């Protein structure tokens, strides 16, 4: 059975656990902290992370949280999620990620959020999406991206939001 290899805090009221099966769980409530590139508290496990699970009461995915998690293939937002913002560079350079479903509650996909995730083929927006904006270069150089499903109308796009994407 899987066991916890590391844990700690990642926000005022949120914590993380990295499990031996490659799952990184973010639980608690409120906003995650922002990090510097390669500065997250789970950095030592970065290359072993295959799945990120975001708890339903997390409101903000922090800057650079999962950047360069090169074996990340699955992002799970818990049912009933209230996440509103995916932070700057949060999933940048996640080179194994192929699909992502953005929860309906997300209003902002910040700049560089999925930058250089070059195997990303599909971005789906959950039914009832309230997305308002996609920041500059959010999906820059995602050369395999050829399907975007369910994006609401009137979304404001930052400069180059999908530049050099499939």
């Amino acid at each position: 059975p899987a066991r916890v290899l590391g844990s700690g805090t990642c926000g005022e009221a949120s914590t993380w656990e990295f499990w031996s099966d490659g799952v990184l769980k973010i639980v608690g409530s409120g906003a995650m902290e922002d990090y510097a590139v390669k500065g997250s508290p789970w950095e030592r496990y970065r290359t072993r992370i295959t799945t990120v699970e975001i708890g339903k009461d997390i409101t903000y995915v922090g800057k650079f949280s999962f950047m360069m998690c090169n074996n990340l293939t699955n992002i799970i937002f818990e049912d009933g999620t209230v996440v509103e913002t995916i932070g700057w560079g949060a999933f940048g350079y996640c080179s194994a990620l192929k699909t992502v479903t953005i929860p309906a509650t997300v209003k902002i996909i910040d700049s560089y959020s999925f930058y250089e995730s070059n195997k990303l083929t599909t971005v789906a927006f959950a039914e009832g999406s309230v997305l308002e904006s996609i920041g500059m270069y959010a999906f820059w150089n995602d050369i395999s991206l050829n399907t975007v499903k369910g994006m609401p109308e009137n979304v404001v796009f930052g400069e180059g939001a999908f530049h050099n994407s499939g």
Side-chain angles (χ1 to χ4, degrees):
R3 65 189 201 298
V4 175
L5 298 180
S7 63
T9 62
C10 58
E12 193 172 303
S14 57
T15 60
W16 65 276
E17 292 179 340
F18 179 69
W19 290 74
S20 59
D21 60 0
V23 177
L24 177 64
K25 296 181 181 184
I26 309 296
V27 296
S29 62
M32 290 175 64
E33 291 179 19
D34 286 329
Y35 299 103
V37 174
K38 294 188 177 185
S40 67
W42 45 84
E43 175 63 26
R44 66 183 288 196
Y45 305 109
R46 182 174 46 85
T47 61
R48 296 173 60 188
I49 297 169
T50 58
T51 299
V52 169
E53 294 181 6
I54 308 287
K56 70 180 179 70
D57 294 321
I58 301 297
T59 58
Y60 170 72
V61 177
K63 179 179 180 178
F64 299 133
S65 292
F66 311 106
M67 186 172 201
M68 293 187 218
C69 287
N70 293 329
N71 291 306
L72 178 65
T73 57
N74 200 12
I75 302 168
I76 299 170
F77 292 92
E78 190 177 348
D79 286 346
T81 187
V82 295
V83 70
E84 295 180 355
T85 302
I86 297 174
W88 184 290
F91 296 99
Y93 290 96
C94 289
S95 57
L97 187 63
K98 292 183 180 175
T99 64
V100 64
T101 299
I102 307 295
T105 55
V106 172
K107 294 179 182 176
I108 299 166
I109 297 175
D110 209 345
S111 299
Y112 300 94
S113 290
F114 293 90
Y115 174 87
E116 287 275 347
S117 293
N118 55 21
K119 287 195 176 85
L120 187 62
T121 61
T122 304
V123 175
F125 293 88
E127 188 175 339
S129 175
V130 295
L131 186 70
E132 297 171 359
S133 67
I134 296 177
M136 64 183 189
Y137 306 111
F139 295 95
W140 186 84
N141 213 29
D142 292 351
I143 57 174
S144 301
L145 182 58
N146 56 25
T147 305
V148 177
K149 301 177 189 175
M151 185 185 301
E153 295 180 21
N154 303 317
V155 171
V156 175
F157 295 96
E159 177 186 342
F162 288 90
H163 181 73
N164 205 34
S165 290

